[in-house]
Amino acid sequence: MCATCGCGSDGKTTFYLVDKDQPHTHDHSHPHDHVHPHGHTHTHDHPQASEKKIIDVEQDVLHQNNLLAERNRGYFDAKNILALNLVSSPGSGKTSLLERTLKDLKGELEFAVIEGDQQTNNDADRIFATGTKVTQINTGKGCHLDAHMILHAMQGLKPKDNSVLFIENVGNLVCPAMFDLGEKERVVIMSVTEGDDKPLKYPDMFHSSTLCIINKTDLLPYVPFDIEKAKTNAKKVNHHLEIIEVSCTTGEGLPQWYNWLKSKVLQPEAV
Amino acid sequence: MHELSIVMGIIKIAEDHAKAADATVIDEIELDIGTMSGIDMDSMEFAWTQAIKGTMLNGTARKINSITAKAKCLDCDTEFEIKNYYDACPVCGEHLIDIVQGKELKVRSLLVS
């Protein structure tokens, strides 16, 4: 189940809950203390065909991941946690958007963050500096996060009830599209320093997302990016997609993103 | 290169089912793969040859049912084959379409002995 992309046997996934009392060099793996769901098998005997028999499997290849994703989803629902899966190519400004959001909404909403990268704790350290609980997942050779990793990250992170959980996926517009993590919404981020045809080039990601954030709009005067064309392209791929334009540098458009976020947070029911 | 993860998933499903049926050999595996399942067949082929070494799928014949993607136009109800998410409805030219088929990625059956 764990991402085994690439060929090295050393591509193991590590989890690192950032803690001010622990030195940065302390990488620890969480123990595998959960039961994997098992499917069941139907067999049909074909008397004429001597020992050969056909097994009707009829199982989705992503079945295991999807079961674990639903398990995560149940955990989030029970604790009224809004889990968001943030996906983009590397360098679109996912971490900057998070830093800005965590600072601006501090005191209004409770947050927790899972950072996914192949290597380093750099992003988790940036998030930790904002005073937010964060776990860094290093996928080693893996090109995406999967539901299994989120399950283990959650064991260390333990996000609070009624909080918002940002899961910053590995920067990659291809592979993470296929893996449900149990999130409520998938947010794809693109920036104006990329091509305005990005939604057409990487349609799976735009098709599976519910919100598209176009970042770095302060740079529009300096780049050939046609924002209307980008929006049209994104809508061609996914007509359900909502689009918000922001600049994390100037703050332009951020109120709209914050309103979207707050509209998705369910008020806890009085007991 | 998520195709390697996918192939590993296929191997696990096949071996689990074969072992549960007390089989020692998997003669054939039948897969359903939609043309818009997100699988690149060349990457899949490459991952397959590497990943099956030392598994019960080494030497197994493969039958792949390629399922052509279809979409339905929400404006005029036309159902049509698509190659890309951004394809327009051939009748009314709209992009308000929903995929109705072609996202499949499934192990359909095994022939074991």
Side-chain angles (χ1 to χ4, degrees), chain A residues 1-7 38-43 51-64 143-144 174-175 178-179 199-201 203-204 207 233 235-240, chain B residues 1-10 12-13 16-18 20-23 27 31-32 36-39 74 85-87 95-99 103-113:
Chain A
M1 272 304 295
C2 294
T4 40
C5 198
C7 51
H38 293 276
H40 61 277
T41 310
H42 297 282
T43 58
E51 297 149 28
K52 294 203 184 208
K53 59 183 170 184
I54 292 171
I55 304 175
D56 290 329
V57 180
E58 294 288 345
Q59 190 174 318
D60 198 297
V61 175
L62 291 167
H63 178 70
Q64 199 89 0
C143 50
H144 58 269
V174 185
C175 309
M178 286 189 79
F179 295 85
L200 304 182
K201 286 175 163 175
D204 283 298
H207 189 260
N233 286 338
K235 285 282 195 185
K236 268 186 195 172
V237 170
N238 178 1
H239 57 89
H240 298 290
Chain B
M1 264 311 284
H2 55 286
E3 283 78 5
L4 188 56
S5 299
I6 298 299
V7 174
M8 302 289 274
I10 294 171
K12 182 164 172 21
I13 291 168
D16 285 354
H17 280 81
D22 287 328
D27 299 288
L31 305 170
D32 283 354
M36 289 182 77
S37 62
I39 294 297
L74 300 182
Y85 285 110
Y86 51 81
D87 288 350
H95 288 280
L96 290 170
I97 59 169
D98 275 350
I99 311 288
K103 302 279 287 176
E104 297 80 359
L105 179 57
K106 200 161 77 171
V107 179
R108 181 178 275 277
S109 69
L110 299 171
L111 177 66
V112 299
S113 50

Side-chain angles (χ1 to χ4, degrees), chain A residues 25 46 73 95 103 113 128 189 205 232 234 239 251 253:
Chain A
T25 49
H46 292 251
R73 195 165 277 123
T95 315
K103 282 179 198 156
V113 177
F128 187 69
I189 295 145
M205 195 61 93
T232 306
H239 57 89

Side-chain angles (χ1 to χ4, degrees), chain A residues 70-142:
Chain A
E70 286 308 329
R71 179 180 165 145
N72 291 343
R73 195 165 277 123
Y75 173 85
F76 297 141
D77 282 350
K79 292 174 72 67
N80 195 35
I81 293 167
L82 173 67
L84 303 175
N85 183 1
L86 306 183
V87 292
S88 80
S89 47
S92 67
K94 286 193 296 300
T95 315
S96 299
L97 178 70
L98 280 188
E99 280 180 311
R100 185 76 200 245
T101 305
L102 296 170
K103 282 179 198 156
D104 288 355
L105 297 184
K106 201 170 193 169
E108 282 191 69
L109 295 171
E110 188 76 44
F111 292 103
V113 177
I114 294 174
E115 282 289 338
D117 285 296
Q118 283 199 318
Q119 303 286 337
T120 84
N121 299 321
N122 294 353
D123 281 1
D125 290 341
R126 282 171 64 184
I127 298 299
F128 187 69
T130 69
T132 309
K133 241 180 152 180
V134 55
T135 284
Q136 176 79 51
I137 301 177
N138 283 143
T139 57
K141 300 273 196 290

Side-chain angles (χ1 to χ4, degrees), chain A:
Chain A
M1 272 304 295
C2 294
T4 40
C5 198
C7 51
S9 57
D10 57 340
K12 73 180 174 67
T13 306
T14 61
F15 300 82
Y16 169 56
L17 177 66
V18 185
D19 185 334
K20 59 183 182 307
D21 298 327
Q22 286 181 352
H24 274 205
T25 49
H26 183 78
D27 258 357
H28 66 276
S29 299
H30 285 276
H32 276 52
D33 58 352
H34 67 93
V35 181
H36 283 273
H38 293 276
H40 61 277
T41 310
H42 297 282
T43 58
H44 298 283
D45 289 329
H46 292 251
Q48 271 87 19
S50 64
E51 297 149 28
K52 294 203 184 208
K53 59 183 170 184
I54 292 171
I55 304 175
D56 290 329
V57 180
E58 294 288 345
Q59 190 174 318
D60 198 297
V61 175
L62 291 167
H63 178 70
Q64 199 89 0
N65 183 75
N66 295 342
L67 281 180
L68 290 170
E70 286 308 329
R71 179 180 165 145
N72 291 343
R73 195 165 277 123
Y75 173 85
F76 297 141
D77 282 350
K79 292 174 72 67
N80 195 35
I81 293 167
L82 173 67
L84 303 175
N85 183 1
L86 306 183
V87 292
S88 80
S89 47
S92 67
K94 286 193 296 300
T95 315
S96 299
L97 178 70
L98 280 188
E99 280 180 311
R100 185 76 200 245
T101 305
L102 296 170
K103 282 179 198 156
D104 288 355
L105 297 184
K106 201 170 193 169
E108 282 191 69
L109 295 171
E110 188 76 44
F111 292 103
V113 177
I114 294 174
E115 282 289 338
D117 285 296
Q118 283 199 318
Q119 303 286 337
T120 84
N121 299 321
N122 294 353
D123 281 1
D125 290 341
R126 282 171 64 184
I127 298 299
F128 187 69
T130 69
T132 309
K133 241 180 152 180
V134 55
T135 284
Q136 176 79 51
I137 301 177
N138 283 143
T139 57
K141 300 273 196 290
C143 50
H144 58 269
L145 296 179
D146 61 31
H148 187 192
M149 295 176 192
I150 300 305
L151 188 152
H152 285 303
M154 217 62 68
Q155 289 169 335
L157 188 63
K158 297 185 181 70
K160 287 188 181 158
D161 288 7
N162 311 313
S163 62
V164 176
L165 172 68
F166 287 121
I167 303 168
E168 186 182 332
N169 217 312
V170 177
N172 178 343
L173 271 179
V174 185
C175 309
M178 286 189 79
F179 295 85
D180 183 7
L181 305 179
E183 73 266 21
K184 189 98 175 177
E185 308 272 352
R186 186 173 292 182
V187 182
V188 60
I189 295 145
M190 64 187 292
S191 61
V192 305
T193 51
E194 303 171 43
D196 45 35
D197 57 352
K198 205 134 232 191
L200 304 182
K201 286 175 163 175
Y202 301 95
D204 283 298
M205 195 61 93
F206 287 85
H207 189 260
S208 65
S209 297
T210 43
L211 174 69
C212 171
I213 291 179
I214 303 179
N215 191 17
K216 308 186 190 179
T217 53
D218 53 299
L219 297 179
L220 274 173
Y222 314 105
V223 291
F225 186 89
D226 183 337
I227 200 155
E228 288 311 316
K229 207 163 149 191
K231 285 157 77 173
T232 306
N233 286 338
K235 285 282 195 185
K236 268 186 195 172
V237 170
N238 178 1
H239 57 89
H240 298 290
L241 197 65
E242 286 183 69
I243 299 172
I244 298 176
E245 302 160 33
V246 306
S247 162
C248 292
T249 309
T250 65
E252 193 188 356
L254 286 176
Q256 214 185 329
W257 154 238
Y258 297 154
N259 284 340
W260 181 92
L261 200 56
K262 288 176 197 168
S263 74
K264 300 291 174 185
V265 177
L266 295 175
Q267 291 308 309
E269 285 183 28
V271 182

